[in-house]
Amino acid sequence: MDKVEEFEELRPLLFSIAYRILGSVAEAEDAVQETWLRFDASATRVASVKAFLSATVTRFSIDVLRSARVRREEYVGPWFPEPLLSDPYQDPARAAELADSVSMAALLLLERLSPLERSVFVLREVFGFGFDEVAAAVGRSESACRQLLVRARRHMQAGRPRFAADRQERQEMATRFFDALKDGDMGGLRDLLAADVQLVGDGGGNAPQLANTVSGPENVARLLASVFPAMAQVDVTFERHEINGQPGAIFRDRDGKVLHTVALEVLDGQIQTIRSVINPDKLGHLGPVADVWAVDREVRRARGRMR
């Protein structure tokens, strides 16, 4: 097996590591490409290609994350990870860890960690790397990595929901939600929403977005039931799709261009959080991006006609 074949075999793993550390599809792809360049330029035959490449992509991701922290602190409005439609890396032995760690809720919890804590947690808890491999990847001793992991686990466990839904329940709730949304059924929507439900959008200052988080089943249901019929009037459609391993949808304009994504977080039999990524800078990897400002103007006019 030559270098290219060795690298391509491990590419899905490298992307999955980088995405969980960075929360960005574009930055993760850049990290994987940089890892290839360093691997290709290396004249030394490494003992373990997997260990070398995993360490390289982790170190590069840590460097990128440190610089990204400044940008995220200055970000306009809520910051969400770039939506991921499918995780390229699959490992039946760690399927539960992989699925849980890629959800938006988990990635937002990871944002609370330092870059080192986040990297150690991802390598050890998600991908099951040995402490010797983790230590080599982040440039710390094994004992230091154990301490970093303890702190990371504490932060992650403190923020995790107590009652998570299984896959079938999530899909059933999503089907009912999107059926009610399509029909503009305010009562049907309200019945699915938790008492403390939140609707949050990430526009990053580059797209129309809610001025504030919308909270409570009545407010969220009223907004959704009034907005989507108006969107349908201007030929906005949606297609059901998993977003970061959770039920969701991709919304498109009349030309099929990506308008935004919606992901649902289902807990204890109800929809707890609805997260929408509207920032066009985060949607380019999904296909051509719509002019969200133009669509917003059309939707506002349609709502005015429907009143």
Side-chain angles (χ1 to χ4, degrees):
M1 186 180 296
D2 63 21
K3 267 191 170 183
V4 174
E5 292 171 327
E6 289 177 316
F7 183 83
E8 289 302 322
E9 184 176 285
L10 291 165
R11 181 187 287 273
L13 171 63
L14 302 178
F15 174 86
S16 294
I17 291 172
Y19 178 76
R20 285 164 174 80
I21 295 174
L22 294 166
S24 165
V25 172
E27 290 176 347
E29 289 174 343
D30 287 345
V32 172
Q33 181 61 23
E34 181 65 25
T35 299
W36 159 249
L37 293 175
R38 296 183 184 184
F39 181 51
D40 187 46
S42 174
T44 306
R45 182 65 184 176
V46 296
S48 169
V49 174
K50 178 183 176 182
F52 175 83
L53 294 178
S54 300
T56 302
V57 80
T58 298
R59 290 171 191 160
F60 185 80
S61 298
I62 289 172
D63 290 341
V64 173
L65 183 59
R66 284 173 173 154
S67 63
R69 283 296 174 94
V70 177
R71 297 195 302 275
R72 292 178 191 179
E73 288 171 1
E74 299 171 349
Y75 196 80
V76 178
W79 179 92
F80 293 157
E82 290 183 8
L84 183 69
L85 299 190
S86 60
D87 188 357
Y89 178 71
Q90 300 295 324
D91 179 358
R94 304 196 65 79
E97 292 87 347
L98 290 168
D100 179 64
S101 64
V102 83
S103 71
M104 283 206 172
L107 290 170
L108 288 171
L109 284 177
L110 284 170
E111 280 291 303
R112 302 180 184 182
L113 308 182
S114 71
L116 280 178
E117 288 171 342
R118 184 167 182 163
S119 300
V120 169
F121 185 89
V122 166
L123 292 176
R124 177 63 182 174
E125 292 291 283
V126 179
F127 294 97
F129 280 61
F131 274 109
D132 57 336
E133 298 171 300
V134 175
V138 302
R140 295 293 188 274
S141 67
E142 288 188 36
S143 61
C145 288
R146 292 178 189 276
Q147 292 174 356
L148 287 165
L149 182 62
V150 168
R151 291 202 297 269
R153 281 174 175 166
R154 188 182 303 126
H155 286 298
M156 294 295 288
Q157 290 169 359
R160 286 186 185 281
R162 293 182 58 196
F163 305 105
D166 62 29
R167 183 181 179 85
Q168 181 177 348
E169 181 183 19
R170 292 198 306 265
Q171 294 301 329
E172 290 173 354
M173 291 293 291
T175 296
R176 293 171 60 192
F177 173 86
F178 285 111
D179 285 347
L181 181 67
K182 187 180 296 184
D183 295 337
D185 181 0
M186 180 176 167
L189 288 166
R190 185 175 53 232
D191 291 344
L192 301 173
L193 305 176
D196 56 349
V197 65
Q198 291 191 330
L199 169 62
V200 193
D202 172 354
N206 297 324
Q209 67 181 80
L210 304 172
N212 298 293
T213 298
V214 180
S215 302
E218 191 74 23
N219 293 331
V220 172
R222 183 184 298 111
L223 178 64
L224 292 174
S226 65
V227 170
F228 186 74
M231 295 174 74
Q233 287 285 322
V234 299
D235 300 321
V236 171
T237 58
F238 67 83
E239 58 192 46
R240 291 278 304 276
H241 210 295
E242 280 202 347
I243 307 291
N244 289 78
Q246 304 298 309
I250 300 174
F251 285 69
R252 300 182 183 275
D253 71 1
R254 60 170 58 91
D255 298 319
K257 294 180 178 179
V258 178
L259 192 61
H260 63 92
T261 63
V262 166
L264 307 178
E265 182 178 333
V266 179
L267 299 173
D268 198 20
Q270 292 182 301
I271 295 172
Q272 187 77 36
T273 310
I274 304 168
R275 294 188 178 92
S276 178
V277 176
I278 317 166
N279 187 346
D281 292 345
K282 295 187 174 185
L283 300 172
H285 61 285
L286 303 179
V289 179
D291 182 346
V292 65
W293 294 103
V295 174
D296 181 65
R297 288 192 293 271
E298 289 189 75
V299 170
R300 288 177 184 274
R301 288 195 291 268
R303 290 183 74 184
R305 292 193 297 268
M306 293 170 65
R307 287 172 181 161

